Amino acid sequence: MIGSGPADSGSIPPVAIGRRSRILPAPEDRRGIVIAIVSTVVVFSVLGYAIVSSAGWPRVQQSFFDPETFDESLPRVTAAFWVNVQLFLLAEVLVLVLGLVLAVLRSLPGAALAPIRLLATAYVDLFRALPGILVVSMLGFGIPALDIEGVPNDEFFWALVALTLLYSAYVSEVYRAGIDSIHPSQAAAARSLGLSQLQAMRFVVLPQAVRRVVPPLLNDFIGLQKDTALVSVLGVVEVFRAAQIRQAATFNNTPYVITAVIFILLTIPMARLVDWLVRREQRRASAVAR
Amino acid sequence: MARLRIVTLGVVSLLLVACGPGGSTTAPSSPASAAPTQAASLAPVETVEPTQDACAPESLATTTAGTLTIGTDNPAFPPYFEGREGGNSQPWDPEWGDPTTGAGFESATAYAIAEQLGFTGDQVVWIQNGFNRSFAPGEKDFDFFINQVTFNPERAENADLSDGYYFGNQTVVVMEDSEFAGATTLTELQAAELGAQVGTTSFATIEDVIQTTQAAAVYNSTADAITAMRNDQIDGIVVDLPTADFITNVQVPRSVIVGQIGEAAGAQPEHFSLVLELDSPLTDCVNAAIAALAADGTLDALVNEWLPFSSVPELQP
């Protein structure tokens, strides 16, 4: 995926922005590739040697990469990650729906709908301003304290609500940017064909807008995945808390490293997917232009 | 795909390496910096037998010479630390305790130890220091830390833990309308969802002694665990006996102590220790001071004055 295949045969090599890796030189540049590989190996070897041979390394190794703590902590930490997975999968679905509704509400025309636009704007301003840990604590400890009949006091539920409120605010802005990026002539053309305002939004504007904003949406998805660790403040033993419990019991930081690796393994494929989607979008755009 | 994997591995290892130096700056500093101080303090008396004089204020290598710096967590809670009439001094939380008063079990004990070491009340300085940070590896800002730290061997690997100045057990606290309020055995409590603060012996008690069928709920602070109990999000919490006494009598109306978990339930007897920097030159002197206070009945008198608990029943297995 990094560095696409050989350039289109025959024709003049196009100015392919975003088609190639920014890390390696162009594939045609054989010498460049060799130099890049040699220099990478040399730099990494020197760095690796400098780190491993430094005076503090045995302590770092003992503190962060202790095999015994690793074996003992791995099953507990990975098992706890299931809580995070459930939380972000559920939250993501809710966020995608609520964010879209908010964005459409903010984009509604008409003087009479001013209060709707005002409310949607206020919502987005509010939840983008608040720190996640504050909203999670306020809802997760605060609402159950009211002891209202029929309102759940489950901490997982309130963490889900808090993350949905927070991230739908961000995501609605992403959607709105997408909607605003669609030229007004598109909506005007749809209206001239007899589509209603909502139909024009649904069948003409949104399909183009959503496709454009998939990469930034996935970006927010990554943010959401990481913020699932906030549920720990409510007492739920998720991946970070499970690691913290082991860390507090052993004073060894290996459980934290395990947690870090779990999040990285989850996020990096996602980041590569975003890169690929961006490149595909750019290819499509340039294909249309040509 | 192979390329992707290589890049992924590369980034992972880079990040792990990036974590390394951060830890190395704090971790190795403690033995390195403790050693010279110790050597310097011992140098003048090296020829003399280490007698009572080695513990005199002028020969003690305290963080600040001539001053005894004592750390505790903020807020500091009664009955360990009582508030000051007319308002607490800075930076102590205005709602709860002020360690500088000498009132409250741990404040009074700290001043008694200071006096035993030869420091006057004016030579004692209090600083705030987080509970879990107190016994984490590394250099300390305090000469000793006093905050209901229960002794355990893992903690003792990274910091010096003094001999006990208080001996007590863990207890289970629930709301009085809870189905577990009348429990008399650990078996009855195994079905309960119990909470505790992360990194505490209370948490270990839920997992290792009570062995609840549901996983323990784990919080950043005991205050959060109490909130969850009040909210009915969990059935109860596990805290040490004096804390339970304060919760049930002052903090949370309609909460009750179910019982204490002592030797009858197969729990190890517990004691509170002062925390000192690993291999601190003060540790032996502090232990001698505690032994003296125990021998002359001062500690018992302080317990009777500040921690007069009605006899809490021991839970049976």
Side-chain angles (χ1 to χ4, degrees):
Chain A
M1 286 176 200
I2 308 294
S4 48
D8 304 0
S9 54
S11 63
I12 310 157
V15 186
I17 313 149
R19 289 188 62 182
R20 289 188 171 137
S21 161
R22 289 181 191 173
I23 296 171
L24 293 176
E28 307 85 66
D29 184 2
R30 290 275 157 78
R31 190 161 160 271
I33 296 266
V34 171
I35 291 174
I37 289 171
V38 170
S39 107
T40 305
V41 169
V42 168
V43 167
F44 277 59
S45 307
V46 169
L47 269 180
Y49 178 77
I51 289 163
V52 173
S53 63
S54 69
W57 173 248
R59 281 195 71 103
V60 172
Q61 198 178 16
Q62 193 273 328
S63 177
F64 288 92
F65 309 101
D66 181 48
E68 202 179 307
T69 317
F70 181 89
D71 290 344
E72 183 181 85
S73 306
L74 188 67
R76 280 166 171 255
V77 172
T78 45
F81 188 60
W82 178 233
V83 175
N84 301 67
V85 172
Q86 286 173 307
L87 189 56
F88 76 63
L89 287 181
L90 284 169
E92 183 61 17
V93 173
L94 296 172
V95 162
L96 284 176
V97 174
L98 186 57
L100 184 59
V101 169
L102 282 167
V104 170
L105 289 181
R106 278 189 85 173
S107 306
L108 285 180
L113 296 177
I116 304 269
R117 287 193 295 270
L118 186 70
L119 274 177
T121 308
Y123 173 97
V124 171
D125 284 353
L126 178 69
F127 284 103
R128 277 202 306 176
L130 297 177
I133 194 164
L134 184 139
V135 177
V136 170
S137 304
M138 202 155 71
L139 295 181
F141 286 135
I143 307 275
L146 299 175
D147 202 13
I148 304 168
E149 192 71 33
V151 173
N153 65 2
D154 182 72
E155 47 280 359
F156 184 90
F157 172 82
W158 286 109
L160 180 62
V161 170
L163 288 180
T164 305
L165 292 176
L166 286 162
Y167 274 86
S168 59
Y170 286 103
V171 163
S172 84
E173 284 297 273
V174 171
Y175 278 130
R176 199 166 66 97
I179 292 171
D180 287 352
S181 77
I182 303 302
H183 198 275
S185 62
Q186 297 275 329
R191 299 280 281 137
S192 74
L193 290 173
L195 271 66
S196 73
Q197 197 83 46
L198 277 177
Q199 284 172 322
M201 179 64 93
R202 162 72 184 81
F203 295 109
V204 177
V205 177
L206 280 184
Q208 300 181 72
V210 171
R211 186 182 301 162
R212 252 178 221 188
V213 297
V214 165
L217 281 179
L218 282 173
N219 217 20
D220 279 330
F221 193 8
I222 291 171
L224 177 63
Q225 282 174 15
K226 296 191 292 183
D227 273 353
T228 54
L230 289 174
V231 67
S232 65
V233 300
L234 300 180
V236 177
V237 180
E238 47 66 67
V239 67
F240 164 70
R241 181 71 89 196
Q244 192 186 19
I245 288 170
R246 297 305 307 148
Q247 195 275 344
T250 60
F251 296 110
N252 189 289
N253 298 297
T254 310
Y256 284 151
V257 174
I258 296 174
T259 311
V261 171
I262 291 174
F263 276 107
I264 290 164
L265 290 180
L266 194 72
T267 305
I268 287 187
M270 194 83 91
R272 293 290 81 78
L273 178 65
V274 172
D275 286 352
W276 180 76
L277 285 170
V278 169
R279 277 199 297 274
R280 194 185 65 168
E281 191 59 32
Q282 279 167 341
R283 244 191 334 261
R284 281 186 180 166
S286 61
V288 170
R290 260 188 279 163
Chain B
M1 266 340 260
R3 260 194 199 149
L4 176 69
R5 204 174 308 135
I6 290 163
V7 170
T8 311
L9 282 174
V11 176
V12 171
S13 52
L14 259 186
L15 189 127
L16 296 187
V17 162
C19 294
S24 72
T25 53
T26 52
S29 59
S30 101
S33 62
T37 356
Q38 196 172 11
S41 75
L42 290 177
V45 290
E46 222 166 319
T47 47
V48 196
E49 276 291 289
T51 54
Q52 204 65 23
D53 291 339
C55 293
E58 53 276 14
S59 49
L60 269 186
T62 53
T63 316
T64 310
T67 302
L68 190 66
T69 309
I70 308 178
T72 193
D73 208 351
N74 190 12
F77 286 104
Y80 305 104
F81 301 95
E82 297 293 329
R84 181 181 288 281
E85 271 183 46
N88 286 348
S89 57
Q90 287 294 334
W92 307 102
D93 188 279
E95 281 286 309
W96 303 109
D98 179 345
T100 64
T101 55
F105 176 67
E106 289 191 331
S107 182
T109 303
Y111 280 103
I113 293 170
E115 196 185 332
Q116 190 71 33
L117 288 169
F119 291 91
T120 64
D122 293 342
Q123 290 174 301
V124 172
V125 172
W126 288 86
I127 59 166
Q128 47 179 341
N129 192 93
F131 178 83
N132 276 308
R133 200 165 71 91
S134 70
F135 45 77
E139 208 172 328
K140 310 295 179 204
D141 302 331
F142 49 75
D143 292 317
F144 67 73
F145 176 86
I146 181 166
N147 201 279
Q148 307 115 60
V149 177
T150 305
F151 178 90
N152 80 30
E154 285 87 11
R155 287 175 181 171
E157 279 176 23
N158 296 288
D160 277 4
L161 295 186
S162 75
D163 295 339
Y165 58 89
Y166 173 78
F167 296 80
N169 289 322
Q170 296 293 324
T171 58
V172 179
V173 173
V174 299
M175 301 305 290
E176 65 183 11
D177 55 6
S178 160
E179 56 177 307
F180 298 100
T184 55
T185 65
L186 292 187
T187 318
E188 289 170 76
L189 286 169
Q190 278 173 347
E193 187 181 6
L194 298 176
Q197 181 183 346
V198 66
T200 58
T201 38
S202 308
F203 165 71
T205 303
I206 300 176
E207 287 222 315
D208 303 337
V209 183
I210 308 177
Q211 297 178 347
T212 51
T213 49
Q214 298 190 66
V218 188
Y219 299 89
N220 286 336
S221 66
T222 300
D224 282 348
I226 293 173
T227 305
M229 175 181 73
R230 294 172 66 141
N231 289 350
D232 216 13
Q233 290 167 317
I234 51 177
D235 293 313
I237 58 175
V238 174
V239 288
D240 55 69
L241 178 55
T243 305
D245 182 72
F246 180 65
I247 292 170
T248 51
N249 285 324
V250 183
Q251 276 183 307
V252 187
R254 291 182 292 102
S255 65
V256 291
I257 302 177
V258 181
Q260 52 176 316
I261 301 165
E263 284 176 86
Q268 298 289 324
E270 292 194 339
H271 65 253
F272 288 170
S273 289
L274 306 178
V275 183
L276 300 93
E277 195 166 295
L278 192 64
D279 300 325
S280 165
L282 274 67
T283 307
D284 290 341
C285 299
V286 163
N287 281 338
I290 293 172
L293 293 172
D296 69 9
T298 309
L299 284 181
D300 280 344
L302 289 173
V303 169
N304 288 333
E305 183 180 357
W306 297 107
L307 310 175
F309 309 114
S310 54
S311 60
V312 173
E314 278 210 27
L315 290 165
Q316 300 303 310

